[in-house]
Amino acid sequence: MRLMTMICCAALAVAGCSTVYRSSDVIPGSTDGTQVRVVPLTGETVIQANRAPYAPQSLPSAFSQSAGTGAGLAGRGVGVLPDAPSTQAGARNQQLVLNSPPPISPGAYRIGVGDVVMLATPSTGNTLEAISGLLAAQNSRSGYTVQDDGSINIPDVGRVRIAGLTIEDAEELLFQRLVEAQFDPTFSLEIAEFNSQRVAIGGAVGKPAVLPITLTPLYLSEALAAAGSVAAANIDVTSVRIYRDGQLYQIPLADFYSSPDLQNIRLVAGDSVFVDSDFDLNRAERFFEQQIRLKQTTLAARAQALSELNTAVSLRRNDNAERRANFEAREALGASDRDYVYLTGEVDKQTRYPLPYERQASLADALYDAGGGIARETGDVSQIYVLRASSDPREFGAVTAWHLNASSAANLTLATRFELRPDDVIFVAENPVTKWGRTLRQITPSLITTPVAAAVN
């Protein structure tokens, strides 16, 4: 009995000296000019709290820009076809020998640099339009040129390398990329312009030309007709020569006219056809040399253009990297204007949690990601509060305390849906046992010193 009396007296003595243990708590009502309104967190009140306007801060553009967004280089390095050597009529001084190229099957057309592909996506329309076929005429069509690195650049999707692929393979690859970018993959791929594969026609023809290889096979007779047909007076001294892969083939014009098989020789990309009317191999060789020089010049120009593109991409990449490094340095030094949420009370670490860029953060993010989670031994999981001051200047001092009772673990799902706002204060109250324990630890020294002081007196 005497001991209890001494404890009470010591407690009163400590309290009288204003040294008794005090801890923070959320007290509803008006306290020291602050009006506190406690709102329990439920599904409905979470929706209400999330209505507070807030736009997360955005990262600098250097974090989203791609270094490969330079201007297209399609068509760069394409030279002009030189004039074909002049032809002169001459006497046939030796036998023209038939040496036709072997049959060739190049397979399906493969997309190349310079080709223009078209992505046709169906637009909306009513049933009557679809039945009548009008919908096909209303398709949305977007053309893209295959650039020097073999890719096309689709907005919001990025660069897709399709050079060397058949149309079917390119459609499959584009389908996958559109699905990854969350776009409707309903489209058809067409080639609007065939610029990558060509055949040169020169010599004794009506109009020397360069003909494209398309989806439809190009035969020798069709190529000559497209170049204005053979313009030779004497077929006995005229031959059609084909330069292919370093080999020179010869077809006497008389044999060409008399043989459907020779007329239907299929031409492939890179072929050079020269109609010679005076049996002068040197003139034909000059024509082929011109074609070779043209291709070499084209390749050199394309290589230079690709080098320029790589240099521009490298400069952009370095500029973006420097911008990002500068921003990260400002972040580390605290020089950037960040939005923070503050954690206090019975948490593992009193800290502030920076709200992330470009997305909303939840109460669960701050509790479990900021290193300031609920203290397991001292925190009261039934008393978790988010303190939010009113943004209305007419309600200065008004605070809403959103109360989460996590004694039921199911209520923690509400924490994952509750969106935080700048300057929110997350407060975790201490449990009653911790409060009493801390009070007793503060009183215990008084229980020892009080009897001693009384004995001395």
Side-chain angles (χ1 to χ4, degrees):
M1 189 68 174
R2 183 178 179 183
L3 178 61
M4 290 299 297
T5 304
M6 293 174 63
I7 292 175
C8 292
C9 291
L12 291 174
V14 174
C17 297
S18 299
T19 58
V20 71
Y21 174 74
R22 298 181 184 274
S23 61
S24 298
D25 205 350
V26 177
I27 303 174
S30 180
T31 304
D32 297 332
T34 301
Q35 185 69 30
V36 180
R37 180 171 65 102
V38 178
V39 179
L41 276 187
T42 64
E44 294 181 355
T45 58
V46 166
I47 296 175
Q48 178 184 354
N50 292 345
R51 288 174 181 170
Y54 172 61
Q57 293 183 352
S58 299
L59 285 168
S61 59
F63 284 86
S64 58
Q65 286 180 343
S66 171
T69 56
L73 298 175
R76 292 196 60 175
V78 178
V80 179
L81 182 67
D83 295 334
S86 61
T87 59
Q88 298 177 0
R92 180 174 180 176
N93 54 12
Q94 63 181 18
Q95 181 70 28
L96 287 174
V97 178
L98 173 62
N99 178 25
S100 62
I104 189 171
S105 178
Y109 184 90
R110 294 188 178 273
I111 301 170
V113 174
D115 286 345
V116 178
V117 298
M118 192 79 70
L119 270 67
T121 57
S123 60
T124 57
N126 55 40
T127 305
L128 179 60
E129 289 175 320
I131 295 175
S132 63
L134 295 178
L135 187 59
Q138 298 174 357
N139 281 356
S140 173
R141 304 168 68 86
S142 299
Y144 303 95
T145 301
V146 181
Q147 300 182 3
D148 285 22
D149 60 352
S151 64
I152 59 176
N153 192 7
I154 304 176
D156 300 323
V157 175
R159 303 183 74 84
V160 183
R161 184 178 180 82
I162 62 173
L165 301 181
T166 63
I167 295 180
E168 291 76 10
D169 293 340
E171 282 184 334
E172 181 178 356
L173 177 59
L174 289 170
F175 180 91
Q176 296 175 357
R177 293 296 299 273
L178 290 174
V179 169
E180 293 172 358
Q182 300 183 354
F183 284 98
D184 183 4
T186 305
F187 71 99
S188 63
L189 180 66
E190 305 170 5
I191 301 180
E193 296 181 19
F194 298 84
N195 299 320
S196 64
Q197 304 180 33
R198 301 182 180 184
V199 171
I201 312 294
V205 293
K207 184 179 180 181
V210 176
L211 305 179
I213 297 294
T214 65
L215 301 179
T216 304
L218 178 63
Y219 298 106
L220 181 56
S221 59
E222 298 172 349
L224 292 174
S229 298
V230 176
N234 188 350
I235 66 172
D236 292 334
V237 296
T238 303
S239 64
V240 179
R241 296 190 174 95
I242 301 175
Y243 185 83
R244 174 184 297 170
D245 295 334
Q247 297 292 325
L248 183 61
Y249 303 96
Q250 177 175 265
I251 304 173
L253 193 57
D255 295 336
F256 174 81
Y257 284 152
S258 62
S259 174
D261 290 339
L262 295 176
Q263 296 173 19
N264 291 327
I265 291 176
R266 184 171 180 177
L267 301 178
V268 296
D271 282 354
S272 293
V273 179
F274 183 85
V275 178
D276 182 42
S277 61
D278 64 353
F279 204 68
D280 186 357
L281 285 177
N282 291 331
R283 187 171 287 109
E285 289 173 355
R286 288 196 298 272
F287 172 78
F288 295 134
E289 289 175 358
Q290 288 176 323
Q291 298 302 316
I292 293 173
R293 287 198 300 271
L294 172 62
K295 291 182 179 179
Q296 291 174 342
T297 303
T298 300
L299 291 176
R302 288 188 180 277
Q304 181 181 357
L306 186 58
S307 176
E308 293 174 358
L309 175 62
N310 290 334
T311 301
V313 169
S314 178
L315 291 174
R316 289 195 182 95
R317 184 178 291 116
N318 293 338
D319 180 64
N320 285 341
E322 183 177 5
R323 291 174 183 268
R324 294 169 188 168
N326 290 340
F327 176 78
E328 291 169 355
R330 290 179 59 86
E331 283 278 282
L333 295 173
S336 61
D337 186 15
R338 288 295 300 271
D339 293 329
Y340 291 97
V341 168
Y342 301 88
L343 288 88
T344 186
E346 297 304 315
V347 292
D348 291 333
K349 180 182 179 182
Q350 308 278 331
T351 185
R352 62 179 184 177
Y353 170 65
L355 293 180
Y357 291 98
E358 300 182 356
R359 70 174 182 86
Q360 300 282 358
S362 67
L363 173 58
D365 290 333
L367 287 175
Y368 298 104
D369 186 50
I374 303 172
R376 298 179 61 180
E377 296 182 357
T378 62
D380 187 351
V381 294
S382 68
Q383 301 294 320
I384 302 174
Y385 296 90
V386 179
L387 308 178
R388 182 175 297 172
S390 174
S391 59
D392 190 342
R394 295 170 297 179
E395 298 179 355
F396 182 78
V399 175
T400 301
W402 304 96
H403 174 212
L404 173 63
N405 181 0
S407 58
S408 173
N411 287 343
L412 288 173
T413 58
L414 296 173
T416 64
R417 296 161 53 192
F418 184 92
E419 297 176 358
L420 297 174
R421 297 294 183 262
D423 299 326
D424 280 354
V425 177
I426 301 173
F427 172 76
V428 180
E430 61 184 352
N431 59 48
V433 174
T434 300
K435 182 180 295 187
W436 275 105
R438 289 172 175 171
T439 302
L440 289 176
R441 282 197 301 272
Q442 189 175 15
I443 293 175
T444 300
S446 298
L447 295 178
I448 297 173
T449 58
T450 300
V452 174
V456 172
N457 294 331

